[in-house]
């Protein structure tokens, strides 16, 4: 083993190359973190979003709509529990596959903030509009719009990931 002090210190060129490599690794990790959910989970998420308005509308309907209120509540609890289990499985599989945890903070805020505000407003607002008007068209329109938004965001994140990788 060399004890020469100069052999232990990198040259300026080696140091710059190491820094560039570190930045490249950071960019790669950020790109992997921004990668969209697996396709099966994107489909599950889309179906979940599409199911929320009719189920929530059924829970809020006065009097009971198609099913008793308790049945709608049980459906919502089961549906949400299944979604959370699948979310956990998707996250664990992604981490096992890539070594990187799924993160939301690397996604562009100009897309996630409107989604975080608009989608809940759409889903809950349609149920409230249904309760006020007793017109189920509100629920089915919100389901279709929610599913379209889910698919559009998935495709946008796929495109974003392809640009960064």
């Amino acid at each position: 083993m060399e004890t020469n002090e100069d052999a232990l210190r990198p040259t300026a060129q080696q140091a710059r190359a190491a820094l560039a490599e570190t930045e490249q690794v950071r960019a790669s990790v950020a790109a992997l973190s921004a990668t969209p959910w697996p396709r099966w989970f994107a489909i599950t998420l889309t179906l979940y979003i599409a199911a929320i308005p009719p189920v929530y509308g059924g829970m809020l309907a006065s009097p009971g709509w198609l099913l008793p209120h308790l049945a709608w509540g049980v459906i919502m609890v089961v549906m949400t529990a299944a979604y959370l289990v699948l979310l956990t499985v998707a996250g664990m599989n992604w981490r096992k596959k890539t070594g990187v945890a799924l993160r939301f903070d690397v996604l562009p805020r100009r897309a996630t903030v409107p989604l975080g505000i608009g989608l809940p407003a759409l889903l809950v607002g349609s149920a409230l509009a249904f309760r006020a008007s007793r017109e189920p068209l509100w629920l089915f329109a919100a389901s279709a719009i929610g599913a379209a938004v889910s698919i559009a965001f998935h495709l946008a994140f796929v495109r974003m990931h392809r640009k960064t990788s």
Side-chain angles (χ1 to χ4, degrees):
M1 186 187 290
E2 291 184 23
T3 57
N4 186 351
E5 194 172 303
D6 291 335
L8 297 176
R9 292 182 119 182
T11 65
Q13 184 179 8
Q14 289 172 329
R16 280 191 287 276
L19 284 174
E21 187 175 311
T22 301
E23 287 304 315
Q24 188 176 21
V25 168
R26 284 185 183 158
S28 175
V29 167
L32 283 174
S33 298
T35 302
W37 302 106
R39 188 174 293 140
W40 66 265
F41 187 73
I43 292 168
T44 301
L45 181 60
T46 300
L47 293 174
Y48 178 74
I49 289 171
I52 288 176
V55 174
Y56 196 55
M59 288 173 61
L60 293 182
S62 177
W65 175 64
L66 300 177
L67 296 171
H69 290 281
L70 181 61
W72 286 116
V74 169
I75 290 169
M76 182 63 97
V77 168
V78 169
M79 194 171 76
T80 303
Y83 166 75
L84 292 174
V85 167
L86 292 174
L87 172 65
T88 303
V89 169
M92 289 182 344
N93 285 346
W94 182 253
R95 183 177 212 127
K96 191 183 305 178
K97 178 180 174 186
T98 64
V100 178
L102 286 169
R103 295 175 33 207
F104 294 105
D105 62 331
V106 295
L107 299 174
R109 292 198 193 282
R110 69 179 187 278
T112 55
V113 170
L115 178 68
I117 295 169
L119 194 58
L122 172 74
L123 301 178
V124 174
S126 66
L128 295 173
F130 168 68
R131 182 178 179 156
S133 69
R134 296 190 184 192
E135 182 61 48
L137 180 62
W138 290 104
L139 302 175
F140 300 117
S143 289
I145 293 168
V149 167
S150 176
I151 291 167
F153 269 80
H154 178 71
L155 294 175
F157 292 144
V158 166
R159 193 177 80 218
M160 180 182 76
H161 175 68
R162 286 187 182 144
K163 283 182 180 178
T164 58
S165 1

